[in-house]
Amino acid sequence: MTTRQAKYTFASFLSRDTTFDVIANIWRLARPEYSVVEGPQSRTNSSRDVASASSISEPAVGAVTVPIASANKVTHCSCSKNGGHLSEVALETVLPGTPDKIYNLMFASGFIKDFMRVDQKLMDIQISDWIPVAPGSNLLSRNMSYVKPLYNSVGPKQTKCEIHDENVYCDFDDHVIMMTSTKNPDVPSGSVFVVKTRTCIMWASTVSTRVIVTTQVEWTGRSFIKGLIEKSAIEGQKHHHSDLDKAMRMYIQEHQIEFIPEGVDPCAVAPVEPMTPVEAPEPGLVLGASDEEVWKARERDRNRRGLQWAYETFEGTYTVARRSTMGAIELVKEAWEQSSSTTILWFVIVALVFSNLWTLSLVGKREEVGRRKAAKKAVEKERWVQEVVHSIWEEMSTGGTRSGGSVPGLPSEPAVSNWREEVADLRKTLDDVEERVRVIRGSLDTLD
């Protein structure tokens, strides 16, 4: 491969084809107005093909090279034709420059990295290399992650964003479609929604490019704060692309020679202000709301977040328990299938031993409980008999006092504390009373 500065020779047979694919993809992105011929012999003469393409890109002194793309006037993306745009418009603008230059500015330049780090205050930015979506495809994809600060009154102060950029369609002579998927795993319900952003880049004129960015939130689960998340995500996308539009215009103004021909006014090529339509206020939004209404709105948001947190906690606990149970069942099943008959027999014996021990422990506990219940019943019975005896003594003592005397042989209070002795004394007293009654009856019979 020959460049203006040096000549490179790739002698490795194992990595020759991969190297050629990488160089060809980079060449298409860097110089889309020229094509690298790939035929049956392109892999065997890769260095010669790339070198010939390099020689094509270097015109002779004094010659005027007219790119193939200069014949394009106005093109439209396939989304505009088949209604493939997403539900919300985040940006619609016309920028000076050709689609390939605007594409590189937005996705593959040092400008976008500085914009993310300096203007957007993003932290811990990690960007992977572009790789083909499929082997031999000219469509590329990459992954990106960063930490974005949040300035909400409630909720987390920062969140990690995981980005996946993928070419849906790439033809710089017609239009380019880029699909971006953004995940926020740290925010509430972050595992059940993805923010989709579709960027369409097409020709607006021979020296300008139209950019249409649409976005929407896609859900894979339920959330109690769905409306709040969608509102925040859409507003964040609109604010981000509005800042990006201003930054790109400023960069193009400072580097006009890279984007527009010499002598062409950038303001004449594209309007200064973005063409994004101004949206009407949302229904129910009252301008100049009082502090009490703002406080109530924040309380509603806080309650929704709390309810969502409780739901996610319950769902996470249930998921962990289910996975643990299924894992244990799978382990037992695999051990059972891989075990021999002797091992299975030992397993059954051990299970029976543990079962018998468990049964004995239960029986012992039940017997102990039965003995305790019997002892408790005996104590209660003894206490009841004592109460009955005391009641009889009190009744007899009260009856003797009312009759003006005492019952013969009846002591004023129990002489013993044992209830059995009290019963014996009570029987003796009753016998004495019966004897006294018999004597009285005999005396009455004598008088008659």
Side-chain angles (χ1 to χ4, degrees):
M1 183 182 69
T2 303
T3 64
R4 295 180 180 180
Q5 290 81 14
K7 182 177 181 179
Y8 303 92
T9 302
F10 297 92
S12 174
F13 181 79
L14 296 176
S15 60
R16 180 187 60 181
D17 295 345
T18 304
T19 303
F20 176 80
D21 291 337
V22 173
I23 294 174
N25 287 329
I26 295 174
W27 181 261
R28 293 190 191 97
L29 292 175
R31 303 301 296 271
E33 62 269 24
Y34 304 108
S35 60
V36 178
V37 179
E38 291 190 32
Q41 299 178 353
S42 62
R43 299 300 176 89
T44 59
N45 300 314
S46 58
S47 300
R48 189 186 312 164
D49 293 338
V50 176
S52 62
S54 301
S55 63
I56 293 174
S57 64
E58 299 176 4
V61 178
V64 178
T65 303
V66 180
I68 300 174
S70 62
N72 291 304
K73 296 295 183 181
V74 178
T75 60
H76 299 280
C77 61
S78 57
C79 306
S80 302
K81 301 174 183 178
N82 56 23
H85 287 304
L86 302 181
S87 58
E88 297 289 338
V89 178
L91 177 68
E92 182 177 0
T93 186
V94 175
L95 297 171
T98 57
D100 60 301
K101 296 184 181 298
I102 300 301
Y103 172 85
N104 291 332
L105 182 65
M106 295 180 66
F107 296 101
S109 65
F111 156 78
I112 193 65
K113 296 179 181 178
D114 294 337
F115 171 76
M116 295 168 62
R117 185 179 64 257
V118 179
D119 293 34
Q120 299 295 303
K121 304 294 189 298
L122 303 181
M123 302 172 290
D124 193 17
I125 302 174
Q126 304 290 333
I127 303 177
S128 69
D129 295 331
W130 291 96
I131 59 175
V133 176
S137 174
N138 65 336
L139 301 179
L140 305 178
S141 66
R142 72 173 177 186
N143 294 318
M144 182 193 314
S145 66
Y146 53 78
V147 177
K148 180 179 181 180
L150 301 177
Y151 305 100
N152 300 326
S153 57
V154 294
K157 299 303 179 184
Q158 64 181 24
T159 179
K160 182 179 180 181
C161 299
E162 298 176 355
I163 314 295
H164 178 73
D165 294 324
E166 181 176 340
N167 291 132
V168 178
Y169 183 81
C170 185
D171 182 3
F172 292 111
D173 292 338
D174 188 9
H175 67 278
V176 179
I177 300 177
M178 174 71 75
M179 177 63 74
T180 302
S181 302
T182 305
K183 296 182 179 180
N184 305 99
D186 297 338
V187 302
S189 303
S191 60
V192 296
F193 76 91
V194 178
V195 181
K196 295 286 188 177
T197 305
R198 182 183 290 264
T199 304
C200 301
I201 304 173
M202 66 209 80
W203 291 86
S205 68
T206 55
V207 290
S208 63
T209 299
R210 181 183 299 275
V211 179
I212 300 177
V213 181
T214 56
T215 183
Q216 71 181 26
V217 181
E218 295 185 357
W219 294 88
T220 58
R222 293 180 296 179
S223 175
F224 294 100
I225 53 176
K226 183 176 181 180
L228 179 63
I229 290 176
E230 289 184 348
K231 178 182 177 182
S232 301
I234 299 303
E235 288 181 353
Q237 288 290 323
K238 292 180 179 179
H239 187 269
H240 169 79
H241 285 90
S242 177
D243 294 343
L244 179 61
D245 178 76
K246 296 177 183 178
M248 286 192 298
R249 290 179 181 277
M250 185 178 298
Y251 183 86
I252 293 172
Q253 184 70 26
E254 296 174 354
H255 304 80
Q256 295 185 23
I257 192 172
E258 299 179 12
F259 295 90
I260 56 178
E262 186 177 358
V264 178
D265 185 9
C267 296
V269 172
V272 176
E273 296 297 330
M275 299 176 61
T276 303
V278 179
E279 296 185 351
E282 296 182 4
L285 181 61
V286 180
L287 298 178
S290 62
D291 295 340
E292 183 178 358
E293 293 176 349
V294 173
W295 180 80
K296 289 182 179 180
R298 291 180 179 177
E299 284 296 321
R300 286 195 297 269
D301 293 341
R302 187 178 292 107
N303 293 336
R304 291 176 182 175
R305 292 177 185 271
L307 188 61
Q308 181 64 28
W309 175 84
Y311 172 76
E312 290 181 354
T313 302
F314 173 77
E315 185 181 19
T317 304
Y318 170 75
T319 303
V320 171
R322 184 180 63 180
R323 290 179 179 176
S324 301
T325 304
M326 296 302 296
I329 294 175
E330 289 294 332
L331 289 176
V332 173
K333 184 178 179 181
E334 291 179 1
W336 182 272
E337 292 176 351
Q338 297 176 3
S339 300
S340 61
S341 58
T342 305
T343 305
I344 295 175
L345 182 60
W346 277 107
F347 177 79
V348 173
I349 292 173
V350 172
L352 291 175
V353 169
F354 279 104
S355 176
N356 291 334
L357 292 176
W358 183 67
T359 303
L360 290 175
S361 64
L362 287 181
V363 171
K365 290 180 180 179
R366 290 178 180 176
E367 290 180 354
E368 182 67 22
V369 171
R371 287 194 294 268
R372 290 180 181 178
K373 288 183 178 180
K376 185 176 181 181
K377 288 182 179 180
V379 172
E380 291 179 352
K381 182 178 180 181
E382 183 176 354
R383 187 180 302 167
W384 177 78
V385 172
Q386 288 180 356
E387 291 178 356
V388 171
V389 171
H390 283 291
S391 299
I392 294 174
W393 279 111
E394 290 177 358
E395 289 291 335
M396 294 179 66
S397 299
T398 304
T401 304
R402 290 177 180 176
S403 61
S406 61
V407 179
L410 181 63
S412 59
E413 59 181 6
V416 292
S417 59
N418 193 341
W419 65 274
R420 290 185 175 85
E421 295 179 359
E422 291 179 358
V423 172
D425 293 341
L426 182 60
R427 287 179 178 178
K428 183 178 179 181
T429 303
L430 291 176
D431 292 340
D432 294 340
V433 171
E434 290 178 356
E435 182 65 24
R436 181 63 177 170
V437 171
R438 188 178 61 78
V439 171
I440 293 173
R441 284 181 178 178
S443 300
L444 292 175
D445 292 339
T446 303
L447 292 176
D448 292 339

